[in-house]
Short mmCIF file of all heavy atoms in Angstrom, two decimals:
data_model
loop_
_atom_site.label_atom_id
_atom_site.label_comp_id
_atom_site.label_asym_id
_atom_site.label_seq_id
_atom_site.Cartn_x
_atom_site.Cartn_y
_atom_site.Cartn_z
N MET A 71 -10.84 -7.50 13.07
CA MET A 71 -9.82 -8.37 13.00
C MET A 71 -8.53 -7.92 13.41
O MET A 71 -7.66 -8.60 14.10
CB MET A 71 -9.75 -9.19 11.56
CG MET A 71 -10.95 -10.11 11.39
SD MET A 71 -10.58 -11.16 10.00
CE MET A 71 -9.31 -12.27 10.77
N THR A 72 -8.22 -6.68 12.87
CA THR A 72 -6.90 -5.99 13.19
C THR A 72 -6.78 -5.80 14.66
O THR A 72 -5.78 -6.20 15.33
CB THR A 72 -6.63 -4.75 12.50
OG1 THR A 72 -6.76 -5.01 11.02
CG2 THR A 72 -5.30 -4.09 12.72
N LEU A 73 -7.79 -5.23 15.20
CA LEU A 73 -7.88 -4.91 16.68
C LEU A 73 -7.76 -6.23 17.55
O LEU A 73 -7.04 -6.36 18.47
CB LEU A 73 -9.02 -4.12 17.04
CG LEU A 73 -9.13 -2.74 16.39
CD1 LEU A 73 -10.45 -2.08 16.71
CD2 LEU A 73 -7.95 -1.82 16.82
N ASP A 74 -8.60 -7.24 17.08
CA ASP A 74 -8.71 -8.41 17.69
C ASP A 74 -7.31 -9.20 17.74
O ASP A 74 -6.97 -10.00 18.69
CB ASP A 74 -9.58 -9.35 17.24
CG ASP A 74 -11.12 -8.94 17.41
OD1 ASP A 74 -11.33 -8.17 18.33
OD2 ASP A 74 -12.03 -9.58 16.81
N GLY A 75 -6.51 -8.95 16.81
CA GLY A 75 -5.18 -9.50 16.68
C GLY A 75 -4.13 -8.64 17.52
O GLY A 75 -2.91 -9.01 17.31
N GLY A 76 -4.51 -7.72 18.19
CA GLY A 76 -3.59 -7.04 18.97
C GLY A 76 -2.89 -5.92 18.20
O GLY A 76 -1.83 -5.25 18.73
N ALA A 77 -3.43 -5.55 17.07
CA ALA A 77 -2.76 -4.46 16.23
C ALA A 77 -3.73 -3.37 16.01
O ALA A 77 -4.91 -3.39 16.47
CB ALA A 77 -2.32 -5.21 14.87
N VAL A 78 -3.25 -2.25 15.22
CA VAL A 78 -4.08 -1.17 14.64
C VAL A 78 -3.95 -1.18 13.24
O VAL A 78 -2.94 -1.43 12.66
CB VAL A 78 -3.73 0.11 15.39
CG1 VAL A 78 -4.01 0.01 16.96
CG2 VAL A 78 -2.26 0.46 15.23
N PRO A 79 -4.95 -0.64 12.54
CA PRO A 79 -4.81 -0.41 11.19
C PRO A 79 -3.92 0.76 10.78
O PRO A 79 -4.18 1.87 11.23
CB PRO A 79 -6.14 -0.23 10.63
CG PRO A 79 -7.16 -0.59 11.77
CD PRO A 79 -6.33 -0.43 12.98
N ALA A 80 -2.89 0.47 10.13
CA ALA A 80 -1.90 1.59 9.86
C ALA A 80 -2.44 2.75 9.11
O ALA A 80 -2.00 3.80 9.06
CB ALA A 80 -0.62 1.16 9.27
N THR A 81 -3.48 2.35 8.26
CA THR A 81 -4.20 3.36 7.28
C THR A 81 -5.06 4.25 8.15
O THR A 81 -5.35 5.48 7.76
CB THR A 81 -4.92 2.79 6.26
OG1 THR A 81 -5.99 1.93 6.77
CG2 THR A 81 -4.02 1.90 5.34
N LEU A 82 -5.53 3.87 9.17
CA LEU A 82 -6.63 4.66 9.98
C LEU A 82 -5.92 5.94 10.50
O LEU A 82 -5.14 5.87 11.41
CB LEU A 82 -7.27 3.73 11.08
CG LEU A 82 -8.55 4.23 11.61
CD1 LEU A 82 -9.61 4.48 10.75
CD2 LEU A 82 -8.92 3.27 12.86
N GLY A 83 -6.35 7.01 9.94
CA GLY A 83 -5.72 8.28 10.37
C GLY A 83 -4.53 8.76 9.65
O GLY A 83 -4.05 9.84 9.79
N TYR A 84 -4.05 7.93 8.73
CA TYR A 84 -2.89 8.16 7.90
C TYR A 84 -3.09 9.39 6.98
O TYR A 84 -4.07 9.17 6.05
CB TYR A 84 -2.33 6.99 7.21
CG TYR A 84 -1.10 7.13 6.52
CD1 TYR A 84 0.10 6.90 7.09
CD2 TYR A 84 -1.05 7.51 5.12
CE1 TYR A 84 1.47 7.03 6.36
CE2 TYR A 84 0.09 7.63 4.37
CZ TYR A 84 1.37 7.50 5.07
OH TYR A 84 2.40 7.62 4.37
N ARG A 85 -2.60 10.54 7.23
CA ARG A 85 -2.77 11.60 6.37
C ARG A 85 -4.24 12.05 6.21
O ARG A 85 -4.66 12.29 5.05
CB ARG A 85 -1.97 11.43 5.06
CG ARG A 85 -0.55 11.22 5.11
CD ARG A 85 0.17 11.44 3.89
NE ARG A 85 1.55 11.62 4.19
CZ ARG A 85 2.52 12.18 3.46
NH1 ARG A 85 2.17 12.61 2.28
NH2 ARG A 85 3.80 12.18 3.72
#
Side-chain angles (χ1 to χ4, degrees):
M71 285 197 68
T72 304
L73 297 174
D74 289 347
V78 295
T81 58
L82 193 58
Y84 182 89
R85 300 198 168 197

